Amino acid sequence: MLGFASETTALRPVHREQLLYFMIRPPHALALEIDRQRRLLGFVSKYPLEQFHITLLPLGDIRALSPEQLELIRSAAASLQAEPVSLVLSRLKKNALAGSNTRALRALQRELVRRLVGLSIPLPDYDFHPHLTLAYGDWQKRSEMVSPLHWRMDALLLVNSTHGEGHKLLGCWELSTRQGMFDFMTPQG
């Protein structure tokens, strides 16, 4: 017998890891530039540029959350009153780009965590170090400056990441400037 499943043999279902994350993604033009720098830095990766992101907060296996908890998670994100965040990715650390001026991004992440804890959402122990992974596997011990990449993050994403299949967007919340632009022109007399 060749080992094929017969009609009477039940195949075991494949349970792929399904992890829920809050993340931010670069706009397409920036993702293309990140991919160009990735190749210049010598990384060979099957990791598609459409999946480039910075994880703000992993929330664990989505299948362990009730529909009510998922709705609370969405409401926490919707209640954020956050402005767009500017970041400069300028250093290669191992297989990831790290940024400078991450204070505003860290503040956004802390506020999101505060809101989720206030809603009694169970959170994993997560030490937030903002980075954008360029390639998985074959980790390198590198630390060097790279050509700076300027990123204005203007949306918070909730994504279900299924191992081997990619990301499924479950929610998107725009970050918007709250302070209007003022025209301080001197009066013409």
Side-chain angles (χ1 to χ4, degrees), residues 40-75:
L40 289 174
L41 291 165
F43 288 102
V44 177
S45 178
K46 295 179 183 175
Y47 187 61
L49 64 97
E50 294 81 20
Q51 291 183 16
F52 284 154
H53 68 277
I54 293 177
T55 298
L56 292 179
L57 185 64
L59 297 165
D61 192 322
I62 191 170
R63 296 168 294 188
L65 295 169
S66 70
E68 294 80 16
Q69 287 174 312
L70 193 53
E71 192 52 42
L72 286 172
I73 289 167
R74 285 188 171 110
S75 68

Side-chain angles (χ1 to χ4, degrees), residues 62 65 67 117 141 155 161 166-167 170:
I62 191 170
L65 295 169
V117 167
K141 292 184 178 183
S161 177
H167 295 164
L170 301 180

Side-chain angles (χ1 to χ4, degrees), residues 3 75-76 95 99 112 162 168 177 188-189:
S75 68
N95 287 15
L112 181 60
T162 303
K168 179 181 178 187
T177 304
Q188 304 275 329

Side-chain angles (χ1 to χ4, degrees), residues 17 23 36 44 65 79 83 97 105 120 123 132 186:
E17 188 173 48
M23 65 174 59
R36 187 184 74 77
V44 177
L65 295 169
S79 72
E83 295 195 14
L97 293 174
L105 183 59
S120 299
L123 299 178
L132 186 145
T186 52

Side-chain angles (χ1 to χ4, degrees), residues 12 14 17 32 49 52 82 86-87 100 105 113-114 118 155:
R12 286 183 286 158
V14 175
E17 188 173 48
L32 288 171
L49 64 97
F52 284 154
S86 293
L87 181 68
S100 57
L105 183 59
V113 167
R114 187 185 71 74

Side-chain angles (χ1 to χ4, degrees), residues 38-160:
R38 171 172 66 173
R39 286 182 272 113
L40 289 174
L41 291 165
F43 288 102
V44 177
S45 178
K46 295 179 183 175
Y47 187 61
L49 64 97
E50 294 81 20
Q51 291 183 16
F52 284 154
H53 68 277
I54 293 177
T55 298
L56 292 179
L57 185 64
L59 297 165
D61 192 322
I62 191 170
R63 296 168 294 188
L65 295 169
S66 70
E68 294 80 16
Q69 287 174 312
L70 193 53
E71 192 52 42
L72 286 172
I73 289 167
R74 285 188 171 110
S75 68
S79 72
L80 280 175
Q81 297 294 315
E83 295 195 14
V85 175
S86 293
L87 181 68
V88 178
L89 301 173
S90 58
R91 175 170 287 286
L92 177 67
K93 289 185 174 183
K94 298 181 182 174
N95 287 15
L97 293 174
S100 57
N101 71 324
T102 60
R103 183 176 295 163
L105 183 59
R106 289 175 185 277
L108 173 69
Q109 193 265 359
R110 279 191 307 271
E111 181 59 21
L112 181 60
V113 167
R114 187 185 71 74
R115 288 173 187 262
L116 291 167
V117 167
L119 294 170
S120 299
I121 300 297
L123 299 178
D125 187 21
Y126 180 64
D127 194 12
F128 181 53
H129 295 287
H131 66 279
L132 186 145
T133 301
L134 297 173
Y136 287 95
D138 193 27
W139 293 99
Q140 301 179 15
K141 292 184 178 183
R142 293 171 72 174
S143 180
E144 60 191 77
M145 298 302 289
V146 296
S147 298
L149 297 163
H150 298 269
W151 182 0
R152 183 175 186 259
M153 296 169 279
D154 56 7
L156 174 65
L157 308 176
L158 182 64
V159 172
N160 182 19

